[in-house]
Amino acid sequence: MKFPENFYWGTAASAYQVEGGIRNNWSEAGEKFDAGNACDHYNRYAEDFDLAKSMNNNAHRLSIEWARIEPVEGMFNQVEIEHYRNVLLALQKRGLEPFVTLYHWTYPVWFGEKGHWLNIGAPQYFARFVEKIVGEYKNLVKFWVTVNEPNIYTAHSFLRGNWPPFKKSFFVTQQVVRALIESHKQSYKLIHKIVPGAQVGIANNNTNFKGILKYFSDDYWNHQFFRAIEHHQDFLGLNYYFSNSIFDVVLRPREKSDLNWKIEPKGIYSVLKGLKRYNKPIYITENGLADARDEKRAKFIIDHLNWTHKAIAEGIDVRGYFYWSLLDNFEWDKGFEPRFGLVEVDYKTQKRIPRPSSKVYAEICKNNCIKI
Ligand code: BGC
């Protein structure tokens, strides 16, 4: 099963989950939310990109930590700007096309003190950061993801209230939703002004709802953001992990990941079909599972790609796939226990140990094809 020519194959990560040494709204929220040294990717990115290269990847998704770039309001840290330039150059040197996320849920402490997304000026604060970053890296980056999973983020941080800043209100959630939509739109225009050929979108976490749930939840959860920014996006970023499980519906027993997430590869086909209405290129910006023993990962990837291939054959314009994640990393409120990596990280020594599934993924990427 061949994939389209020039298909992007990569892995995805976010700064806070891998870099280490970051002070932001999460690290300040208490010990449980402090990623500490994480994978020390800040110092080991070259070695890590070598691993991605050895898997025959031709792309990589990463995020830039706002709290590093603008630790004090309005003051940009030149050392950190040069750091990320070196990161991007390291990707370029290895032939890895960067997909850069600008907001993967973490922000500088000062932004939190100002009331974060509830501050009326939040989109402008964000735009100032975006303008700086895009101006600095305009010759190195074509693909920009403004906001990662606005639906998951708002649900955890403002509705369930189990992530910083721990709010629990539907009203507040909708206020933040509006602020994120506005921020995206402003960033979209800004990025296009600075980089005319840029490709800009968001990455949303779409769930495969079934039965009555599809009727009630599909529109709100899967389409609220994509629809709101419909005329301000060049591509759709799809993060797919599960069917229904976020709403805890009892389905027939299925294979599960270490996090008890039901594995349902066919779901990726259904959600891809659901995105056809936007008539835009799609990148699968995340797909993966926690599997410490690496027993299910290779099959998981093959099965999801199999269904992706079927969607492509039926006319869905999918142009890339990013496995989450290259390395084991800090899994937000769940800490370091869940193991999502194609490469195991021994956190005591920071040693990287590629898991067997990484060989399978490397073959797929090399051949641009899955053999079933
Ligand atoms: C997020 C990642 C997270 C992954 C696994 C996605 O919701 O974008 O940051 O680690 O899923 O839970």
Side-chain angles (χ1 to χ4, degrees):
M1 285 190 174
K2 271 265 169 218
F3 280 76
E5 241 178 90
N6 303 321
F7 198 80
Y8 284 120
W9 294 103
T11 59
S14 87
Y16 190 59
Q17 294 179 269
V18 293
E19 286 183 359
I22 295 175
R23 182 171 175 264
N24 62 18
N25 59 320
W26 270 72
S27 68
E28 297 308 286
E31 211 182 316
K32 180 179 169 190
F33 301 93
D34 187 353
N37 289 330
C39 312
D40 193 29
H41 177 73
Y42 185 80
N43 297 307
R44 295 168 196 257
Y45 64 87
E47 173 195 344
D48 293 340
F49 295 160
D50 283 344
L51 285 166
K53 181 79 198 150
S54 76
M55 281 178 220
N56 307 307
N57 287 187
N58 59 4
H60 182 69
R61 180 172 170 231
L62 70 160
S63 77
I64 291 185
E65 179 70 34
W66 184 4
R68 279 196 195 280
I69 300 290
E70 194 182 358
V72 177
E73 190 191 338
M75 306 219 346
F76 297 107
N77 184 328
Q78 203 52 42
V79 172
E80 299 294 13
I81 289 174
E82 293 318 313
H83 169 80
Y84 283 110
R85 195 186 318 283
N86 290 334
V87 169
L88 292 168
L89 286 167
L91 288 171
Q92 189 181 64
K93 195 170 134 199
R94 291 164 180 80
L96 298 164
E97 180 77 38
F99 279 60
V100 174
T101 310
L102 291 161
Y103 186 66
H104 202 121
W105 311 340
T106 54
Y107 50 71
V109 174
W110 64 262
F111 183 71
E113 286 166 358
K114 283 190 118 65
H116 49 83
W117 299 105
L118 296 175
N119 183 309
I120 189 101
Q124 281 76 43
Y125 292 124
F126 185 63
R128 184 172 57 188
F129 158 68
V130 171
E131 188 170 17
K132 180 72 185 166
I133 289 303
V134 178
E136 289 286 343
Y137 308 134
K138 59 174 187 261
N139 297 324
L140 291 167
V141 182
K142 175 176 175 196
F143 294 94
W144 299 92
V145 176
T146 56
V147 182
N148 179 66
E149 296 189 352
N151 57 347
I152 289 272
Y153 170 61
T154 48
H156 281 290
S157 288
F158 301 98
L159 192 63
R160 284 178 63 184
N162 62 330
W163 287 359
F166 312 108
K167 297 273 182 286
K168 261 189 188 177
S169 148
F170 183 72
F171 177 70
V172 169
T173 303
Q174 287 311 116
Q175 271 182 287
V176 176
V177 163
R178 279 195 296 275
L180 291 174
I181 289 170
E182 185 49 36
S183 299
H184 168 82
K185 286 184 181 171
Q186 286 195 21
S187 304
Y188 176 88
K189 289 184 203 146
L190 209 54
I191 298 172
H192 276 284
K193 212 161 88 191
I194 305 171
V195 194
Q199 294 288 295
V200 186
I202 62 166
N204 202 55
N205 185 313
N206 279 22
T207 297
N208 178 35
F209 294 109
K210 294 171 175 178
I212 191 86
L213 260 195
K214 186 164 178 67
Y215 187 75
F216 285 113
S217 312
D218 186 61
D219 192 67
Y220 179 78
W221 186 254
N222 291 340
H223 296 285
Q224 175 175 223
F225 285 96
F226 284 138
R227 194 179 39 238
I229 61 163
E230 189 161 0
H231 304 297
H232 297 83
Q233 59 189 345
D234 305 306
F235 66 85
L236 306 173
L238 167 68
N239 293 1
Y240 173 75
Y241 287 90
F242 33 62
S243 288
N244 294 333
S245 56
I246 202 162
F247 290 96
D248 256 327
V249 171
V250 184
L251 287 174
R252 60 195 162 92
R254 289 186 182 282
E255 272 232 280
K256 292 189 176 158
S257 75
D258 292 350
L259 282 173
N260 258 338
W261 295 354
K262 293 183 206 86
I263 299 175
E264 207 201 9
K266 190 181 173 187
I268 202 167
Y269 168 79
S270 309
V271 295
L272 281 170
K273 289 283 227 183
L275 296 180
K276 190 167 171 58
R277 67 184 77 165
Y278 301 101
N279 207 16
K280 293 267 162 73
I282 300 168
Y283 295 91
I284 298 168
T285 34
E286 287 181 33
N287 173 235
L289 86 169
D291 178 20
R293 299 213 297 234
D294 203 41
E295 288 167 348
K296 302 175 182 166
R297 188 169 284 104
K299 182 168 171 4
F300 177 100
I301 294 173
I302 292 170
D303 290 349
H304 283 77
L305 286 173
N306 194 358
W307 283 104
T308 301
H309 190 277
K310 182 169 161 60
I312 296 173
E314 292 173 17
I316 309 293
D317 186 7
V318 185
R319 300 191 182 180
Y321 175 88
F322 293 79
Y323 176 79
W324 182 278
S325 188
L326 176 65
L327 307 171
D328 291 337
N329 60 70
F330 178 72
E331 180 55 24
W332 305 111
D333 57 315
K334 299 180 194 75
F336 290 100
E337 199 58 33
R339 302 283 182 153
F340 276 87
L342 286 161
V343 176
E344 179 190 341
V345 175
D346 176 340
Y347 291 107
K348 281 201 202 90
T349 59
Q350 289 294 356
K351 195 168 170 335
R352 276 61 169 146
I353 309 145
R355 295 195 164 101
S357 57
S358 68
K359 305 270 176 312
V360 175
Y361 191 49
E363 269 301 290
I364 294 171
C365 301
K366 183 168 122 203
N367 302 324
N368 196 31
C369 149
I370 39 168
K371 296 184 184 117
I372 50 161

